[in-house]
């Protein structure tokens, strides 16, 4: 059974989420502040958590700060951020802070549940034994002296280990599956994030910038994750 941490200070909303998620069969814990969430996320604080629903507007540390601190602490719990309507910049800021997905408030509960299922499913998908889904790479993928471990969600480059978020791993996997092919941003949004509405495709660029920091010797002159102007990206495993 998956255990979900809901970080939300509005008590009626937090309890509504708890009620509905428990009805879906999830274990739910609520933290009312960012500080309480950070405490709960420490490995010794309790049973391991499978997913976090994180509101942006919190007293004290806001959701962006919490997200950044969680990632900086090397914790890669799948996270769905709740952003405010009418603040499209929040989405980009959320992705930059390290969230895996987002939902705009107010939201329909069935959509929230579907997004949570999606994140947990992708987590499972990443952990399937090699060869299960068609065209899925092995649990590890090596290129140009680097190894991506999709099972452990980490990237190993010359003895350095970089933990990846679930979405970073999914983006990388998607580009690897389309090696040498141009991949339009919109197609990535649809197939990696399952976003079909008119979403700002610049969200993807944040992921590419982060992945380049790990993968490229010189991130300002990428050789593996190439920008195709006006189109999207192309992954090249072994540059000439
Ligand atoms: Ca709030």
């Amino acid at each position: 059974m998956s255990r979900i941490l809901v970080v939300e200070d509005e008590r009626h909303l937090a309890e509504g989420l708890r009620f509905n998620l428990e009805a879906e069969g999830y274990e739910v814990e609520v933290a009312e502040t960012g500080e309480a969430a950070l405490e709960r996320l420490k490995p010794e604080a309790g049973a391991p958590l499978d997913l976090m629903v994180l509101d942006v507007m919190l007293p004290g540390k806001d959701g962006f700060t919490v997200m950044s601190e969680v990632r900086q602490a090397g914790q890669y719990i799948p996270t769905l951020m709740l952003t405010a309507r009418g603040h499209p910049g929040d989405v980009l800021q959320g992705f930059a802070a390290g969230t895996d997905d987002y939902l705009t408030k107010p939201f329909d509960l069935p959509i929230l549940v579907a997004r949570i299922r999606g994140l947990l499913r992708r987590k499972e998908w990443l952990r399937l034994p090699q060869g299960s889904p068609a065209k899925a790479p092995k649990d590890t993928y090596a290129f140009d002296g680097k190894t991506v471990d999709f099972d452990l969600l980490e990237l190993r480059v010359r003895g350095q280990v970089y933990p990846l978020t679930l979405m970073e791993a999914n983006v990388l996997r998607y580009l690897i599956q389309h090696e040498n092919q141009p991949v339009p941003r919109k197609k990535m949004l649809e197939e990696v994030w399952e976003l079909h509405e008119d979403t700002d495709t610049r969200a993807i660029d944040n992921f590419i910038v982060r992945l380049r920091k790990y993968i490229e010797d010189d991130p300002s002159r990428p050789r593996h994750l190439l920008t195709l102007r006006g189109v999207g990206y192309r992954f090249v495993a072994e540059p000439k």
Side-chain angles (χ1 to χ4, degrees):
M1 188 180 298
S2 297
R3 184 176 289 267
I4 298 174
L5 179 65
V6 172
V7 189
E8 172 59 80
D9 59 309
E10 290 160 64
R11 201 160 289 177
H12 69 282
L13 184 51
E15 287 311 314
L17 287 173
R18 181 204 292 279
F19 180 82
N20 283 279
L21 292 174
E22 283 179 351
E24 293 291 323
Y26 299 115
E27 300 265 10
V28 178
E29 296 183 30
V30 173
E32 293 188 2
T33 63
E35 287 80 356
L38 289 167
E39 275 305 309
R40 176 59 186 87
L41 282 162
K42 289 179 180 165
E44 66 275 16
L49 297 158
D50 298 294
L51 186 139
M52 171 164 66
V53 176
L54 176 62
D55 189 32
V56 169
M57 299 290 284
L58 296 166
K61 285 182 180 171
D62 67 14
F64 301 125
T65 307
V66 172
M67 188 77 266
S68 300
E69 290 189 15
V70 166
R71 297 306 186 218
Q72 276 160 22
Q75 291 179 316
Y76 291 87
I77 179 169
T79 301
L80 175 74
M81 284 189 86
L82 304 178
T83 65
R85 189 179 292 277
H87 296 268
D90 281 5
V91 173
L92 297 176
Q93 201 178 340
F95 278 127
T99 192
D100 296 295
D101 202 355
Y102 75 96
L103 204 54
T104 305
K105 273 181 158 182
F107 50 84
D108 293 327
L109 273 164
I111 293 179
L112 176 92
V113 170
R115 292 294 186 87
I116 286 174
R117 277 213 199 99
L119 278 175
L120 291 170
R121 191 175 62 233
R122 274 170 274 181
K123 185 183 169 196
E124 291 306 313
W125 183 63
L126 275 169
R127 293 177 188 287
L128 281 175
Q130 50 177 289
S132 299
K135 279 191 83 184
K138 294 182 217 163
D139 289 331
T140 62
Y141 176 83
F143 67 102
D144 199 31
K146 303 150 181 80
T147 304
V148 194
D149 190 323
F150 289 105
D151 195 33
L152 297 175
L153 294 180
E154 60 188 35
L155 186 73
R156 295 188 284 274
V157 182
R158 278 188 281 281
Q160 280 271 50
V161 177
Y162 301 98
L164 297 172
T165 67
L166 186 64
M167 270 303 174
E168 285 170 347
N170 280 336
V171 167
L172 197 50
R173 178 195 283 268
Y174 189 79
L175 287 165
I176 288 168
Q177 285 173 327
H178 295 83
E179 187 186 342
N180 296 325
Q181 300 166 34
V183 178
R185 287 182 179 81
K186 197 157 171 50
K187 200 162 157 56
M188 284 177 74
L189 272 182
E190 287 175 5
E191 300 197 0
V192 180
W193 281 269
E194 297 170 14
L195 286 173
H196 297 275
E197 64 261 47
D198 220 8
T199 311
D200 193 333
T201 54
R202 281 177 301 173
I204 289 173
D205 300 345
N206 289 301
F207 280 83
I208 301 295
V209 166
R210 263 148 56 201
L211 289 171
R212 277 182 181 149
K213 277 189 202 151
Y214 311 142
I215 290 175
E216 305 286 357
D217 295 335
D218 178 357
S220 65
R221 301 176 71 175
R223 295 164 69 240
H224 296 291
L225 292 174
L226 309 182
T227 300
L228 303 177
R229 200 179 293 270
V231 181
Y233 293 101
R234 185 173 62 195
F235 173 73
V236 177
E238 305 285 344
K240 305 249 159 33

